[in-house]
Amino acid sequence: MSRILIVEDEAKIARFVELELVHEGNEVVKAFDGRKGLDLALSEAFDLILLDVMLPQLNGLEVLRRLRMEKETPVIMLTARDAVMDKVSGLDAGADDYITKPFAIEELLARIRVALKKRGSSSVSDNLMEIKGVRMDCDRHEVTVKGEAVELTNREFELLRVLMKNKNIVLDRDKLMNEVCGYDYVGETNVIDVYIRYLRTKIDERYGIKLITTVRGVGYAIKER
Ligand code: CA
């Protein structure tokens, strides 16, 4: 499943594309003007953005230009037929691809697949993770359980991130120490046990879930089931 942002002021086109993408199993968020689109693109994690050029408030090229100062989210521009300048400017500004309107939905879907594959799993799937109802958004540095925000310190957050990213793999204390505290950290290896205890208090116990598993004599793991 991918999370896709559609920035398009023509509601009918946006709705049509949304239905197709949802039908293919994606999660879709829509914005109808450039400013709202830019806000969402900067504040949330998306696998891909479909960005119309002609938009109210802030045009698509400007949205892309500002987005690229901060993020590398793949972008496919939607341009008017024969607007050659838009295509050139879009690619110059860091668009991954463009498609001219009116487009056949099959062609758009094919281009989306290519754009998603090109970026591989590096962007969102790593930055947006969910296991047993615990959702981690690393871009926003947020953890929510059942929709409720959980306050974590930086080290607790980092420990949870490493465990979730390596789900189903047992990690020993040394490995966790290096990941969470850095290789040059000098201290007791039982700090990991302490952070695990804090995480369990804040998540497992509070929400009645069994998230972190202790593997005796080895270390810890987060198992998907
Ligand atoms: Ca438009």
Side-chain angles (χ1 to χ4, degrees), residues 138-202:
C138 297
D139 282 346
R140 302 173 80 176
H141 214 269
E142 272 179 12
V143 175
T144 51
V145 182
K146 297 168 182 171
E148 216 177 286
V150 179
E151 293 289 327
L152 297 181
T153 64
N154 283 341
R155 285 211 169 145
E156 291 162 4
F157 187 92
E158 194 51 28
L159 178 58
L160 184 62
R161 194 184 65 77
V162 171
L163 285 167
M164 282 183 74
K165 200 174 141 199
N166 296 286
K167 65 184 179 194
N168 304 322
I169 299 171
V170 182
L171 301 173
D172 63 34
R173 287 176 181 77
D174 285 339
K175 162 94 176 149
L176 289 169
M177 275 273 290
N178 291 336
E179 294 278 352
V180 176
C181 305
Y183 283 93
D184 51 357
Y185 180 82
V186 185
E188 306 285 329
T189 50
N190 70 9
V191 290
I192 291 301
D193 301 316
V194 175
Y195 291 131
I196 290 282
R197 205 153 61 228
Y198 292 153
L199 281 177
R200 280 182 169 150
T201 307
K202 290 180 175 180

Side-chain angles (χ1 to χ4, degrees), residues 15-157:
R15 179 73 185 136
F16 173 61
V17 174
E18 176 187 28
L19 286 174
E20 292 289 336
L21 290 174
V22 168
H23 182 72
E24 294 225 324
N26 301 290
E27 185 187 340
V28 171
V29 176
K30 286 182 297 185
F32 299 107
D33 67 69
R35 189 155 309 274
K36 179 76 184 152
L38 180 63
D39 282 350
L40 283 165
L42 288 177
S43 64
E44 296 186 17
F46 294 98
D47 296 287
L48 179 79
I49 299 171
L50 297 178
L51 181 59
D52 187 27
V53 173
M54 297 291 284
L55 287 170
Q57 309 250 12
L58 208 61
N59 76 51
L61 292 173
E62 190 56 25
V63 172
L64 178 63
R65 202 182 62 77
R66 296 195 198 178
L67 175 71
R68 280 290 174 265
M69 291 194 268
E70 296 191 32
K71 281 183 158 183
E72 289 302 315
T73 314
V75 170
I76 297 178
M77 304 290 291
L78 309 178
T79 67
R81 185 193 285 279
D82 297 330
V84 180
M85 273 316 291
D86 284 351
K87 290 170 202 163
V88 174
S89 315
L91 293 174
D92 278 351
D96 294 73
D97 200 357
Y98 61 84
I99 189 163
T100 42
K101 294 202 260 185
F103 48 79
I105 191 69
E106 292 75 19
E107 193 190 351
L108 179 63
L109 294 176
R111 282 172 187 244
I112 288 173
R113 279 191 286 271
V114 170
L116 288 172
K117 204 179 279 175
K118 211 164 63 179
R119 294 296 172 119
S121 60
S122 63
S123 66
V124 166
S125 21
D126 278 355
N127 291 336
L128 205 60
M129 301 180 279
E130 183 165 355
I131 297 174
K132 292 181 179 171
V134 179
R135 190 177 167 94
M136 240 189 146
D137 185 334
C138 297
D139 282 346
R140 302 173 80 176
H141 214 269
E142 272 179 12
V143 175
T144 51
V145 182
K146 297 168 182 171
E148 216 177 286
V150 179
E151 293 289 327
L152 297 181
T153 64
N154 283 341
R155 285 211 169 145
E156 291 162 4
F157 187 92

Side-chain angles (χ1 to χ4, degrees), residues 8-10 52 54:
E8 163 66 87
D9 57 317
E10 286 161 84
D52 187 27
M54 297 291 284

